[in-house]
Amino acid sequence: DIVMTQSPDSLAVSLGERATINCKSSQSVLYTSNNNNYLAWYQQKPGQPPKLLIYWASTRDSGVPDRFSGSGSGTDFTLTISSLQAEDVAVYYCLQYWTSPQTFGQGTKVEIK
Amino acid sequence: QVQLVQSGPEVKKPGASVKLSCKASGYTFTDNGIHWVRQAPGQSLEWMGWINTGNGNAHYSQKFQGRVAITRDTLATTSYMELNSLTSDDTAVYFCTRLKFGDFSWFDPWGQGTLVTVSS
């Protein structure tokens, strides 16, 4: 199975400041034939299901604010919140869908400093 | 709009079985696979298995093989997940989610989740 490792486990950021979350996969999730990275990011708030933010490592889902961006390729990926808002307090997960079983990172909790 | 609505919370005793449902609407049910993912309290998300809603073939995580069964009813546009031989470690929220397309894509949307509590 591909192991997804996120860092840090938690971070506290001031309102309006940048939050950066990293995700590393134990093997590449880049399909060179189509140059797509099979990596998604989700946001989960307490008592709610995960909400899709980003797919193909860098494509924002419809309706997701542009302060959320994804980058990276191969085995190393980053989710950036450019200007943290109060409503962004949540746990964020990366997901690889390159191979079965699909696997998630352990999650990164984002709080307000 | 595409929606997945799951059945209500369950409380079970150790050794029992539980069968959860996930009703899909807003799209052609047989066009997209349905996956089941669980989340123990305070933990990350754990993939359990999925069903090809077109042909009914199900595939399971090695961890749950032999203890889980995922089925579907195309007329009712509903998927079911049955987990047997429950222990306290199975206490979790169980989500169903739709595969966006094909065999390898992201999951979207998700059901609201069903809390299963296993306690004597």
Side-chain angles (χ1 to χ4, degrees):
Chain A
D1 297 2
I2 296 179
V3 177
M4 307 299 289
T5 304
Q6 292 182 227
S7 61
D9 289 334
S10 66
L11 74 161
V13 176
S14 300
L15 288 172
E17 295 300 305
R18 178 185 301 261
T20 301
I21 301 168
N22 301 301
C23 175
K24 187 175 185 66
S25 58
S26 61
Q27 63 189 77
S28 176
V29 298
L30 171 64
Y31 186 36
T32 53
S33 294
N34 59 18
N35 204 36
N36 279 330
N37 287 282
Y38 284 54
L39 189 286
W41 288 97
Y42 291 86
Q43 174 193 67
Q44 188 179 33
K45 297 181 179 180
Q48 296 184 17
K51 174 191 171 185
L52 177 68
L53 296 176
I54 303 275
Y55 54 90
W56 296 136
S58 61
T59 303
R60 261 190 311 275
D61 193 32
S62 175
V64 174
D66 60 8
R67 63 180 180 272
F68 291 92
S69 64
S71 62
S73 185
T75 60
D76 292 279
F77 301 91
T78 299
L79 174 70
T80 301
I81 310 172
S82 61
S83 175
L84 191 74
Q85 305 300 302
E87 62 265 33
D88 301 334
V89 169
V91 179
Y92 293 83
Y93 295 95
C94 59
L95 162 73
Q96 69 79 19
Y97 48 94
W98 168 247
T99 188
S100 183
Q102 289 86 338
T103 46
F104 296 87
Q106 81 276 17
T108 295
K109 187 174 186 179
V110 174
E111 300 173 305
I112 304 294
K113 185 187 292 183
Chain B
Q1 77 282 19
V2 176
Q3 197 172 10
L4 301 175
V5 177
Q6 298 185 233
S7 47
E10 302 268 6
V11 179
K12 296 291 182 181
K13 293 196 182 304
S17 298
V18 69
K19 188 172 184 177
L20 309 181
S21 68
C22 169
K23 180 164 175 63
S25 61
Y27 71 101
T28 302
F29 179 69
T30 51
D31 280 353
N32 304 77
I34 293 287
H35 290 240
W36 289 83
V37 175
R38 78 176 186 180
Q39 186 172 39
Q43 301 301 307
S44 182
L45 300 153
E46 181 176 35
W47 181 81
M48 300 181 67
W50 76 288
I51 188 163
N52 180 319
T53 50
N55 61 25
N57 289 340
H59 307 268
Y60 307 115
S61 165
Q62 290 265 57
K63 178 175 178 177
F64 301 101
Q65 193 82 35
R67 203 163 68 91
V68 67
I70 299 174
T71 57
R72 96 303 190 211
D73 179 337
T74 55
L75 289 179
T77 66
T78 299
S79 175
Y80 303 91
M81 191 283 294
E82 183 168 21
L83 189 62
N84 304 312
S85 304
L86 293 169
T87 72
S88 57
D89 289 341
D90 295 315
T91 293
V93 176
Y94 290 76
F95 294 102
C96 63
T97 181
R98 187 188 71 156
L99 194 64
K100 184 69 172 180
F101 62 85
D103 290 335
F104 294 100
S105 73
W106 54 95
F107 302 136
D108 185 57
W110 295 61
Q112 82 277 19
T114 296
L115 175 62
V116 175
T117 303
V118 182
S119 175
S120 55

